[in-house]
Structure formats: structure tokens, C-alpha cells
Amino acid sequence: MSKSGQELHYPFEVKEFEPKELEEVRKRFTKAPYDDFIRVGPKGYVFYKGFLKYAPKIYNFALRPDDTFVVSFPKSGTTWVQEMVWMIANDCDYEGSVNIPLTHRYQFLEWGMLFNNKHIQEIADEYSKSDDEKKKLLAAKLKSSDVDICANKPSPRFIKSHLPLSLLPPTLLDTCKVVHVARNPRDVLVSYYYHIKTVAKLRYDIELKQLWNLFINDQLEWTPYFENVKESWTRREHPNMLFLFYEDLLKDLPSAVKRVAKFLGKTMTEDQVSRLCDHLSFENFKKKNSLVEFSAVSSDNVLVRKGKSGGWRQYFDEEMKQQATNWMEDNLRDSDFKFPFYEN
């Protein structure tokens, strides 16, 4: 509903998972069951059912010309690119970066759907009564709706989403700057696996191979992966779209910083670029306490792990490698999309 009480327009069909499929997908959770799962739109993007609470608000979100979006499929280097974009847009405000968590500098539009279940709200209630300030901050975050917070936030706003362009406001690219970062899906899957295995109290009971099968069969949140990425890829020539590859950032970070600066209309000296690249190096970046507020539930920085490319080779058996080759070929057969340094 809008503030005026009128029903918000939402043009996409929503289908719930069939009972047998839902039972299979929910096996991975060790705690109280999460929401049911749904598929949205003609491409069948997968979300928790709680997404429906926020989807119309997101689709009808009132954009501003000075909004900056960072979008991606999860675990594609989003946090790294968020920091880069924010720093460049804010003239390398190192003090602000240190003192303001990234989760406060960016609003994550569909955040609320992740915590729309009894188990998470019980954690939030528990943490809100704690004497630990970090836990109190996390409790407030778990109870918040970023799309509502963002609507009332002063400009300029920085916004994160893992949604495909089709589920974001229709005038997004004609109104705002959008940076999309894509990563080889095999590395995405490994990063996703370690992410969900690390977060305390939210642990999954699943093996990598099981998660891989959910991923390639479009049974994991935000899948289908390639549809998400290709929606941005096809709009890469739009003047308000900057499409980045995670692998390119790893290979030549200074060039990526310069591309982002040019895209945002910022001028940087070589010294400024060099200092920012040092700030963004994974050795320094992973140590930053200002990135997220999740230290209350995990001793690790759950959004920044190794910062490597090609690590999937250590985890995939021969069957998975062949599945990956076939799956990628099938999904890219009619597209000019290609990952840097792609190998069969």
C-alpha cells in the first residue's frame, strides 16, 4: 500500500513452490523454517514469500536523479564495489568510511524479505534486550525495512539491490546511475556456500554439491542467475549503466577505479587512485570494522572472504565441472555475454 492507502501497482505474476519442491528446498535449514518460496514474473525469479511485502514498494519506489545504485547477484563482489562507488562519489571520505558502517551508507532495498520469519524476529527480540551495543544495532537492523528507510533518507542516496532490472523501478536507468558487478557463477556459488555456513544462528545444513544443484536448477534465492546478469548486460550501453566484472577488478583495480570515477563524473589524481586502491585491497578491506554490523553473530567478516577468482576449482568434482560447463553454455548460447578469462 502507498502512504495514501492506495494499492500499489505490481505487474508480475507470483507462483508459490509446489509442496514437494518446497519440502526439498527447505531441507537445508537447521533452525525454524524460513518463509515459503515463490517465483516472480515471467523469468521466475526465486524469493522468500516475504518479498511480496516489499515488492510493490520497490517497483514503485520514488527515484531521485542523484541516487546511485549498486546491483548484482549475491556474492559477486557487491560489498567491494559498494565501498569503491561510495568513496569515489564522496571524494574519498576516509573518515566517513571508517566511522559509518556500509549498511548505513547504503540501503538494501529487499533486505526485509530475508528476516520475515519467526526465528529471525526471536533473535532480534533477544538482541534488542542485550547490553552489547553491536547486538542492539543488529536487532534494529533485523527489524527494519530498508525500502521505507530509504524513501525518507536525504539525498544523495546510495542503494544496493540483488534484484534484476525488471523488478526494480521501470525508470531506473533513465533516472539514476547504476553500477552492476558480475562474477563467474562457479565462484559465486562457493562464496555463497561459505557465507551461509559462517553466519552464526542462521546456519544451513547443506553440502556444497547440494547447494550447487539448487543454484543451477533455479531453486535458490534470486535465481535464475544468468537471467539476472543478462538483464543488465543487455543495457550496458545505456549512459547510466556501468557494467563491471569482478575478475577485471582483481586484475587491474586502478583501471576499475578510473572507470567508476569517469562514470560518476569525478576527477582523481594518480595519488588519489593509488591511495584508494590501497584502501580497497582485500588485506585492508577485510579488516574494516565499519563494513557491516554482523560481528554480533559471527566472528568473521561474512561479506568479505578471500577475494579470489577461480577458487571454485578446489571444490568442484568432475561431475560438477561438467555440469557447470554445460549449464553455462546453455545459458549463454544466444548471448554475446562472456566472463573475462573464461575457461571450459
Side-chain angles (χ1 to χ4, degrees), residues 104-119:
H104 287 262
R105 287 180 271 147
Y106 281 81
Q107 304 308 138
F108 181 6
L109 282 187
E110 65 268 29
W111 168 266
M113 81 160 189
L114 299 173
F115 308 108
N116 192 53
N117 64 82
K118 181 180 178 181
H119 173 56

Side-chain angles (χ1 to χ4, degrees), residues 267-283:
T267 302
M268 298 179 68
T269 66
E270 289 296 330
D271 285 345
Q272 288 173 324
V273 171
S274 179
R275 184 184 176 191
L276 180 57
C277 287
D278 183 65
H279 172 81
L280 293 169
S281 70
F282 267 81
E283 291 74 16

Side-chain angles (χ1 to χ4, degrees), residues 65-321:
D66 57 357
D67 290 340
T68 303
F69 278 68
V70 173
V71 300
S72 69
F73 191 87
K75 309 312 297 177
S76 296
T78 323
T79 304
W80 198 23
V81 173
Q82 282 180 259
E83 179 74 358
M84 179 194 299
V85 167
W86 189 90
M87 286 293 288
I88 293 171
N90 287 277
D91 301 316
C92 295
D93 179 5
Y94 291 98
E95 183 177 352
S97 173
V98 169
N99 293 323
I100 308 171
L102 197 62
T103 45
H104 287 262
R105 287 180 271 147
Y106 281 81
Q107 304 308 138
F108 181 6
L109 282 187
E110 65 268 29
W111 168 266
M113 81 160 189
L114 299 173
F115 308 108
N116 192 53
N117 64 82
K118 181 180 178 181
H119 173 56
I120 298 297
Q121 292 310 309
E122 286 175 351
I123 294 175
D125 289 341
E126 173 192 339
Y127 283 4
S128 65
K129 300 171 186 175
S130 173
D131 293 330
D132 187 328
E133 288 302 317
K134 289 181 179 179
K135 287 188 175 182
K136 285 185 177 180
L137 279 172
L138 180 59
K141 190 69 178 174
L142 292 175
K143 290 173 175 287
S144 69
S145 165
D146 271 27
V147 67
D148 292 324
I149 292 172
C150 196
N152 299 305
K153 195 169 184 176
S155 294
R157 300 180 300 188
F158 293 84
I159 300 168
K160 163 191 171 178
S161 180
H162 295 311
L163 298 178
L165 290 182
S166 59
L167 302 187
L168 290 167
T171 61
L172 177 61
L173 275 183
D174 292 329
T175 309
C176 311
K177 295 286 189 182
V178 179
V179 179
H180 185 114
V181 57
R183 184 183 188 184
N184 188 305
R186 294 169 290 197
D187 282 321
V188 165
L189 188 280
V190 172
S191 182
Y192 200 119
Y193 175 74
Y194 278 98
H195 175 80
I196 63 175
K197 297 289 279 188
T198 299
V199 182
K201 294 205 173 188
L202 307 181
R203 294 188 185 278
Y204 288 37
D205 182 19
I206 191 170
E207 298 300 323
L208 179 69
K209 198 166 188 176
Q210 294 171 303
L211 189 69
W212 168 250
N213 285 322
L214 292 178
F215 184 49
I216 62 175
N217 288 307
D218 302 335
Q219 294 175 314
L220 197 63
E221 303 83 68
W222 287 284
T223 58
Y225 169 85
F226 277 109
E227 293 301 328
N228 182 311
V229 172
K230 288 191 290 187
E231 283 198 28
S232 290
W233 176 254
T234 59
R235 304 300 303 279
R236 67 191 183 280
E237 301 300 333
H238 193 288
N240 278 342
M241 168 66 79
L242 178 63
F243 195 101
L244 301 173
F245 283 105
Y246 179 85
E247 291 80 5
D248 286 338
L249 271 65
L250 286 175
K251 181 182 179 183
D252 190 350
L253 186 56
S255 291
V257 166
K258 292 173 184 178
R259 282 188 68 195
V260 173
K262 182 179 179 181
F263 177 68
L264 297 178
K266 295 289 185 175
T267 302
M268 298 179 68
T269 66
E270 289 296 330
D271 285 345
Q272 288 173 324
V273 171
S274 179
R275 184 184 176 191
L276 180 57
C277 287
D278 183 65
H279 172 81
L280 293 169
S281 70
F282 267 81
E283 291 74 16
N284 292 329
F285 195 50
K286 189 168 182 177
K287 295 175 185 176
K288 282 174 58 64
N289 294 322
S290 61
L291 284 176
V292 289
E293 299 153 328
F294 288 119
S295 53
V297 291
S298 174
S299 59
D300 295 326
N301 185 334
V302 298
L303 296 188
V304 181
R305 194 173 68 91
K306 288 188 175 182
K308 301 292 184 182
S309 178
W312 62 270
R313 293 180 179 86
Q314 302 173 37
Y315 302 94
F316 279 39
D317 60 25
E318 290 305 315
E319 180 186 24
M320 293 169 69
K321 289 177 182 177

